[in-house]
Amino acid sequence: MKQYLDLCQRIIDQGSWIENKRTGKRCLTVINADLNYNVGNNQFPLITTRKSYWKSAIAEIVGYIRGYDNAADFRALGTKTWDANANENEQWLNNPFRKGEDDMGRVYGVQGRSWAKPDGSHLDQLKKIVDNLSQGVDDRGEILTFYNPGEFHMGCLRPCMHTHTFSLLDDTLYLTSYQRSCDVPLGLNFNQVQVFAFLAIMAQITGHKAGMAYHKIINAHIYEDQLELMRDVQVKREPFPSPQLIINPDIKTLKDLETWVTMDDFEVTAYQCHEPIRYPFSV
């Protein structure tokens, strides 16, 4: 929690104002932020200086693991995070590759589970990683990437948190996740939860202990209409101790994640928090 608040204060104190063309808003911005999460000790990085909602974040990462390309499937899991990008983005609505209502195109999990190869076949990046790690193999290329510039025009959104690298040392699994852009007041807590949960899940299904998760953010920013709430309210609150994430121990394989897992298989315990803060969201 302290490292989150330290980053917020760093942006407030040292950030530069940048005009964002996509949203038409100014952002107070810094370049390069590194956050670390102790997954092995189960110090779940859920924000406590405001009420935070973790189930939607984990539902989204499970949807990526399943390779979903439709907002309706994400809704069925328990998250509406793709509704707007799939159905309200004018550029995507007019895109000839869009297949209809709720279609997201070739984004995120589609790239992770079905990367198109020049010969017309598809590569399942995630299955290769799970198979290797389950056999105790780390070829120093256990990399899952959603970033495919050649197919940006075939999806509704470029990925923000785009690449995950798994590393196995002895019997401990580590994760390094890379994010090109981050809305710190709203998006970062969501992404922190996902990085933590992804390592915890992968360690569990490959039979290893979870170690540290390393989260690298390139462009970290606070939008102009979020600044007052962050500066005058959230960073002044005293954080509570970290809660813990409990994952159903019956989840043992990638197939389990693909078939029967729901949000009822995840639980957060010992979560104390301050009142919610309603930050403006920029689409």
Side-chain angles (χ1 to χ4, degrees), residues 29 68 110 133 140 149 170 203-204 211 275 277 280:
T29 304
Y68 283 167
V110 177
L133 295 177
R140 291 186 281 187
D170 297 321
Q204 182 164 311
E275 293 180 355
I277 298 175

Side-chain angles (χ1 to χ4, degrees), residues 228-244:
E228 184 177 353
L229 283 171
M230 176 60 74
R231 182 191 61 219
D232 299 341
V233 181
Q234 188 164 359
V235 296
K236 295 184 182 301
R237 291 176 171 177
E238 188 69 24
F240 293 102
S242 296
Q244 292 189 320

Side-chain angles (χ1 to χ4, degrees), residues 28-82:
L28 199 56
T29 304
V30 299
I31 300 300
N32 191 49
D34 292 287
L35 296 93
N36 304 324
Y37 316 127
N38 194 328
V39 183
N41 286 346
N42 203 354
Q43 295 175 351
F44 191 46
L46 189 62
I47 297 301
T48 63
T49 48
R50 66 174 174 85
K51 187 173 183 178
S52 299
Y53 303 93
W54 56 272
K55 282 193 175 184
S56 182
I58 294 181
E60 188 175 65
I61 202 72
V62 172
Y64 294 164
I65 288 171
R66 292 179 176 177
Y68 283 167
D69 66 354
N70 192 283
D73 291 326
F74 281 93
R75 286 198 300 274
L77 261 179
T79 181
K80 297 181 179 181
T81 52
W82 282 96

